[in-house]
Amino acid sequence: MEKIGFIGLGIMGTPMAGHLIAAGYPAYLHTVGEVPSSLVAAGGIACRSAAEVAAQADIVIIMVPDTPHVEAVLFGENGVAESISAGKVVVDMSSISPVATKEFAQKIEALGADYIDAPVSGGDVGAKAASLTIMCGGKESVFERVRPLFEKMGKNITLVGEAGAGQITKVANQIIVALTIEAVGEALLLASKAGADPARVRQALMGGFANSRILEVHGERMIKRNFAPGFRIALHQKDLNLALSTARTLGLSLPNTATCQELFNSCAAHGGEAWDHSGMVRALELMANFEIGQSA
């Protein structure tokens, strides 16, 4: 059985690592601060650095917030690159720059190891339920080696293409999610201001072509005023920055993505960086001077 390293044990990484430990994989763990005691109690081994994880593990999984964090884990002091060796695999499950991902893959492969980018969708709910969507970029042979680990953490697992392809797929995913949150927010806000019961409107829409996972989950959040994360607005801002910067590089215009980013920026300006991203509706409500569920 492969020995697993897991670096980054936050709201996503902790349950993901927990599934691997529960499946019987030897797991070497490192994170900012203390490794969660629940993982150690389950059999995980706490390590002092990313380099120590890479020295012990056959496959090193990284799950951290952004591109600079991945770079520091890989190439910083006491980083993975200091002790990675031929035959090992780095799997980055963070959501980061597709351009940087290609550079990181080249550097790791130059050390004799392999690299897969495998960002996920499904949030903390999917991480806890082991139902994440996993979008992968890398060599097919390496993907097949790592697939059994992915199957312990997710359900919809796809090799999209070469290094960086997983990350560009995740960027596309985050565009769709943001625009759909905005559409659901507008629809429920309009219905509520017109005097309709937004909960019943949502129930009716879920039986038709407008149904979506976002209407189901985030529509309910909007109605019940539950904006505890979930997936934080600050992280979705990061993802849309990746989308817009990549679009500029490619000479593309993404006007509705830019609008959603401005709505997230408005939320952040009102102290909402840590709100769940369904909280985008609050920016729409501020412009309308009306909250979903308020008496019309």
Side-chain angles (χ1 to χ4, degrees):
M1 182 173 274
E2 304 266 26
K3 294 182 291 183
I4 307 305
F6 209 112
I7 301 169
L9 300 167
I11 192 171
M12 297 290 291
T14 293
M16 292 165 69
H19 295 311
L20 297 175
I21 294 170
Y25 287 98
Y28 298 87
L29 311 172
H30 178 69
T31 194
V32 174
E34 296 292 323
V35 170
S37 58
S38 60
L39 296 180
V40 175
I45 301 166
C47 297
R48 292 170 294 180
S49 68
E52 184 179 344
V53 171
Q56 298 292 335
D58 302 312
I59 298 173
V60 178
I61 297 172
I62 301 169
M63 188 58 164
V64 295
D66 204 349
T67 307
H69 303 102
V70 175
E71 185 171 24
V73 165
L74 290 174
F75 307 112
E77 185 177 358
N78 294 316
V80 167
E82 290 189 9
S83 55
I84 199 79
S85 56
K88 298 190 175 188
V89 183
V90 171
V91 181
D92 180 27
M93 302 189 78
S94 318
S95 296
I96 68 167
S97 164
V99 174
T101 291
K102 293 180 181 180
E103 296 174 358
F104 297 165
Q106 289 172 357
K107 289 181 179 180
I108 292 297
E109 289 169 357
L111 297 172
D114 289 303
Y115 194 100
I116 292 278
D117 56 290
V120 304
S121 179
D124 64 317
V125 173
K128 292 171 184 174
S131 61
L132 293 168
T133 292
I134 307 176
M135 302 155 265
C136 305
K139 298 173 184 174
E140 186 171 3
S141 60
V142 183
F143 170 75
E144 291 300 334
R145 177 180 172 184
V146 177
R147 183 199 282 270
L149 305 183
F150 292 152
E151 290 173 346
K152 300 301 180 185
M153 298 181 283
K155 298 296 185 185
N156 180 22
I157 303 157
T158 307
L159 178 64
V160 180
E162 297 182 352
Q167 295 295 353
I168 202 66
T169 305
K170 177 60 186 289
V171 168
N173 179 85
Q174 295 303 83
I175 291 172
I176 293 169
V177 170
L179 270 62
T180 309
I181 289 172
E182 197 276 340
V184 168
E186 283 194 8
L188 293 180
L189 183 59
L190 173 69
S192 187
K193 183 65 184 286
D197 180 343
R200 293 192 176 188
V201 170
R202 170 180 164 274
Q203 182 180 3
L205 295 176
M206 284 173 59
F209 200 54
N211 190 27
S212 69
R213 183 70 172 152
I214 289 170
L215 177 63
E216 178 187 350
V217 175
H218 290 335
E220 183 176 47
R221 279 179 170 270
M222 293 173 192
I223 292 164
K224 293 186 174 179
R225 316 308 294 168
N226 174 20
F227 300 117
F231 189 76
R232 290 184 286 117
I233 280 176
L235 291 176
H236 211 145
Q237 285 180 293
K238 179 262 295 183
D239 291 339
L240 294 192
N241 280 336
L242 292 175
L244 294 168
S245 62
T246 302
R248 280 194 298 272
T249 300
L250 297 174
L252 292 177
S253 175
L254 302 178
N256 291 328
T257 302
T259 296
C260 288
Q261 183 71 309
E262 290 303 325
L263 292 170
F264 280 142
N265 291 345
S266 176
C267 291
H270 287 84
E273 284 189 340
W275 298 343
D276 184 79
H277 56 170
S278 59
M280 179 197 284
V281 73
R282 286 185 164 184
L284 297 171
E285 291 171 337
L286 281 167
M287 289 188 287
N289 193 29
F290 187 87
E291 282 190 2
I292 290 172
Q294 177 182 336
S295 297

